[in-house]
Each structure stands twice: as structure tokens, then as C-alpha cells.
Amino acid sequence: MSTNNDDPIVITGMAVEAPGGVETLADYWAALAESRDLLGPFPRDRGWPLERLLSLSETEGWGMVRDSGGFLDGAADFDPQFFGITPREAVAMDPQQRVALRVAWRALENAGINPSDLGDDEIGCYMGASNTEYGPHGAEVNDYTGYRAGGAALGAVAGRLSNVLGLNGPSVVVDVACASSLAAVHMAASAIRNGECDWALAGAACVIGSPGAFFEFSKNNALAADGQCKPYAEDAQGTLWGEGVGVLVLERESRARELGHRIYGRLLGSRINHNGKGAPIAVPSTEAQERLMRATVAASGVAPELIDMIEGHGTGTAVGDPLELTALQQVYGGPRPDGSGPLLGSVKSNLGHAQAAAGLLGLIKVLLSGVHGQIAPTRHAANPTTRVDWNASGLRLASELRDWAPRDGVRYAAVSSFGVSGTNAHAVLAMPVLQEPALAGATSGGAAESSAEGNTHA
């Protein structure tokens, strides 16, 4: 991405669905500001082998699986006719396509754009997603055979949005595991800068189609045995899987101002890289993350000491958290003139690890913190890990809701993600103080609300 921020890429619309019944930006902010636990028991309507799953620890070498995760209440709900889709095809569609459709519709409405009339612009669509094994195997003949190709295709998470909404620009699904959503935002911004599209939707979707990830991490003894995800905490026991969907509207600032769109934030810099050769693919690299963060800060043109909020990856694992913290401390730590340091947190403490959508849910948390002028707290932050020297680093865990004073009318933040694929993603944001009332029009009313209450189920 260019270092020229004379006409930066800005975020002018957003929408989210998260565990705990969160379906609007206002719901999401309230849950974060109140440090609410959004976790719940495993869904009972997905045909999962729960008895076997919850008894895995009885087998030698397997870790405890608690009846806990961050699951969307409305993952199975969809109104196909609203989007011009037949009920039979809708059932064959991966729920990630369905939920992404309604969240994208709300993001457009939030930006003041009519989703049913997008004009003649070249509009891109970049979505992070990973295959979560929804539905029967393709070789199994059933009533939905014939719809499975488009229904199960990972690329259709973006392609379905482009098809239904009439987006005729680039349409790409990014799958780099848990770095997917920030990578999708980076690619969308780059496409706008390069003239590949006039503006774009960028986001991610994660709806868990099978409990395979729980089996995998139980075998690796990397799941939270107490059913809580505790990023950067001394008593963290592992990660916990969750779900979520978020979509942003990205465009150039000149275009946004010409059309009178609200500007939630400027994407001053974003970068992606890979750990490369060395450790096993799933093991994070402090060196690669530090290199990426420094490159992103350089692209943003913002001094690292101006960053007051960092939304980290923070999975609550014994390996990943200290390695990430070391990289963050090297780039954003150190003494500051006012004696303070950036406040660090991870939304995974509220809702678990939403995998391909994790970074996007964290980015929206940052944007909402900018809107409200407060840094949302991270749960379980009272007892930080002792595997890093917090006093020397200057970093602090955001253990409570804090006021966030702007610097010359702007608040600066960074967002970090990395994945089991070895890919890392980082972004630096600037959020101007909004003049209009907080979240005016941002609760996503209108026709899209009806799309959350259909009767076609997974």
C-alpha cells in the first residue's frame, strides 16, 4: 500500500453480528463497554456429536473440551426471498454466505448507501473466510444436489455478495486462516488505490459448520480447559473457538467527503507477510511480526508513540501470546514523555476466537472505541502474564473502560492478526473525532432487519 496519505482509504460504513445475540453496532459496543461475557454452550441444532466431543479428555493425550464457545444466535436464520434466493438453494448455501449477505446489506445502509441501487460504480468485494465443513459431502446424493457447487464453494462467500448486490468489481475470498479478515481489508484498500475498483466491501465471516477445530485443538491440548479465552493473562489455559461476521465499506476520503459519508476511520497503513522457513507452520514468529509492524507503521506515516490503543491477536495460548507481546513491545513499547503507554486488549476475551473473522471483529471494536472516545476493556486482564516485562515495555492491558483523549482531533490505533497458515497482518488506523452524535443511524434499521428473521435453517 502506498505511503501517500493525501487521499487515504477511509471506512464509511460497517455492520457486525457477534455471539451473545449481538446484531447491531450499538449491541456490540454495549457488550464491549460492559465487559460482557458473550460465550455460551454448544449449539444443539447442528447435529454435532456432543457426547463424544465433551468426553475427549477421558482418552489419554486429549485435552478438556468444555461446553462453551462463542456462537451466533441467528446462524441458522435467513430470509431467502428478501435476497431473491429460493429456499432450497438457501439451505444448500454455507451459512457464512447467508450471514455475510445480511451483514453486508446493513453495512451499506450504515454508510447511507441504498443496497438495492448501487449505480454503475466498479465495486470490489473482499471477504475473509475459511472452510468449516458445512453440509454433507459433495459425493452424497440428496435433495440439495445441484446446488452444492455454489453453496459449498469458499469463493462464494464473496461471490454471493457480488451476485446478489450487483457488485461487478473484483470479488475475492481470502483464506489465510486467522489473519484472513485483516488481509482482506488490506487487499481491498490496495485495489481501490490501484484503480481496480471505485470502492469496496471488505469483511469476513465465520460460522462453524463442524466441531472439527475443537477436536483438533483438544488433541493439541490447546483449548481453554475452563471454557474461557484469557488473552495475555497469567492463568490463560488456551484458546476457545467462536463465530462472527463483520463488513466494512471502504472508499477514498475525497469520494466520501464529496458524497457526505460519515468517516469512522482512515486506514493509514496495512501490510501482510509470512513467517517463512524455520519453526513449524503453526508456530508464530516474533521476528516476522515485528518486521511487519514496523513496515506498517512506516507506511502509515505515524510515529509509534502516537498509538494509544492496540487490538492484539491475543488467543490466550502459552506459545502465541508471549511471542506477540514481545513484537508489540519492540515496536510500540518504550518510555513516553507523559509516562503512559498504549492500552492493549483482545475481543477474544468476550466472544472467543472467531478464526477468519477475528481481526475484523477487533477492527470494528477499535472503530467503535473511536466513535465513543473510550477504550473498551479486555476481560481477564487483572492478572497479566509474567512471561514478559510489562514495566519495561510501557504496554498496559485495558482492564477497564477508559476515556480516550484525541491527539489534535484524531485517535490512533493498531490492529494485529496472525494465523495457523503462518501469515501475519497488521493495520494502523486514525479516527477523527466525529461531530455528529455517536452512532447516529448506526443501529442498522430498515429492510435489512427483516433478513435476520427468516425460516430457512442450516
Side-chain angles (χ1 to χ4, degrees):
M1 201 167 85
S2 170
T3 58
N4 184 349
N5 279 309
D6 291 340
D7 191 10
I9 304 301
V10 296
I11 298 155
T12 56
M14 55 182 176
V16 67
E17 284 195 22
V22 170
E23 293 188 351
T24 69
L25 296 172
D27 290 343
Y28 193 44
W29 174 251
L32 297 176
E34 296 167 10
S35 195
R36 199 181 304 161
D37 185 352
L38 301 178
L39 302 173
F42 289 131
R44 264 55 180 176
D45 61 352
R46 301 189 189 183
W48 290 1
L50 295 181
E51 184 176 348
R52 181 183 176 202
L53 181 61
L54 296 174
S55 62
L56 285 176
S57 62
E58 297 174 9
T59 302
E60 184 178 356
W62 292 72
M64 174 69 70
V65 179
R66 293 290 184 187
D67 190 3
S68 177
F71 301 103
L72 296 178
D73 287 359
D77 298 336
F78 187 61
D79 184 353
Q81 293 183 333
F82 181 87
F83 294 106
I85 298 169
T86 66
R88 196 167 73 133
E89 183 175 8
V91 173
M93 288 165 53
D94 185 336
Q96 294 179 139
Q97 297 180 32
R98 303 187 225 152
V99 183
L101 266 173
R102 65 175 178 245
V103 174
W105 189 282
R106 291 168 178 161
L108 290 166
E109 289 186 326
N110 180 250
I113 298 170
N114 182 355
S116 62
D117 184 13
L118 298 180
D120 299 323
D121 289 338
E122 288 277 330
I123 307 167
C125 183
Y126 293 80
M127 293 292 292
S130 295
N131 194 322
T132 60
E133 302 178 352
Y134 171 73
H137 293 294
E140 180 180 321
V141 177
N142 55 53
D143 290 342
Y144 306 103
T145 299
Y147 291 111
R148 291 283 296 150
L154 189 60
V157 175
R160 187 75 64 172
L161 298 187
S162 296
N163 176 255
V164 170
L165 297 172
L167 315 180
N168 53 12
S171 187
V172 178
V173 162
V174 181
D175 182 8
V176 284
C178 305
S180 296
S181 59
L182 280 193
V185 171
H186 168 74
M187 293 176 67
S190 297
I192 298 170
R193 286 187 179 280
N194 293 335
E196 299 172 45
C197 52
D198 299 318
W199 57 280
L201 294 178
C206 176
V207 180
I208 302 173
S210 89
F214 287 93
F215 280 90
E216 189 76 8
F217 269 55
S218 170
K219 181 61 176 174
N220 293 331
N221 285 278
L223 277 178
D226 59 358
Q228 289 286 323
C229 187
K230 300 177 180 178
Y232 315 120
E234 180 70 8
D235 57 344
Q237 299 181 7
T239 199
L240 191 71
W241 299 123
E243 302 176 329
V245 182
V247 178
L248 307 177
V249 177
L250 302 180
E251 57 189 318
R252 289 184 178 273
E253 184 163 347
S254 58
R255 184 180 190 276
R257 294 196 178 279
E258 179 182 348
L259 296 175
H261 293 168
R262 175 202 299 110
I263 295 175
Y264 286 112
R266 301 182 181 104
L267 184 63
L268 296 185
S270 63
R271 286 287 189 272
I272 53 178
N273 77 355
H274 194 273
N275 295 333
K277 191 175 181 179
I281 190 172
V283 177
S285 167
T286 292
E287 180 183 354
Q289 289 185 37
E290 180 182 345
R291 188 171 64 249
L292 175 70
M293 293 172 193
R294 292 194 185 280
T296 307
V297 170
S300 75
V302 173
E305 57 265 25
L306 296 180
I307 304 295
D308 290 317
M309 178 181 182
I310 300 173
E311 176 66 10
H313 191 62
T315 58
T317 55
V319 174
D321 281 12
L323 293 174
E324 180 192 8
L325 283 170
T326 301
L328 289 169
Q329 290 172 344
Q330 292 293 333
V331 178
Y332 296 107
R336 294 188 176 189
D338 60 1
S340 67
L343 287 169
L344 168 69
S346 172
V347 75
K348 295 177 184 65
S349 68
N350 301 88
L351 50 82
H353 189 346
Q355 304 168 72
L360 206 286
L361 294 176
L363 195 156
I364 293 177
K365 169 188 169 182
V366 167
L367 293 171
L368 290 177
S369 291
V371 167
H372 290 273
Q374 295 177 301
I375 295 177
T378 284
R379 291 169 52 79
H380 314 296
N383 188 24
T385 178
T386 57
R387 297 183 66 180
V388 297
D389 187 344
W390 293 92
N391 291 328
S393 74
L395 296 182
R396 302 168 294 158
L397 283 184
S399 58
E400 60 185 6
L401 188 66
R402 297 278 193 95
D403 289 338
W404 187 4
R407 298 174 181 269
D408 296 324
V410 180
R411 298 180 174 95
Y412 297 97
V415 185
S416 191
S417 276
F418 54 89
V420 73
S421 65
T423 299
N424 308 295
H426 199 69
V428 171
L429 302 164
M431 286 146 289
V433 175
L434 296 181
Q435 299 303 314
E436 66 266 39
L439 286 181
T443 55
S444 302
E449 292 301 323
S450 67
S451 70
E453 299 178 356
N455 55 9
T456 296
H457 300 283

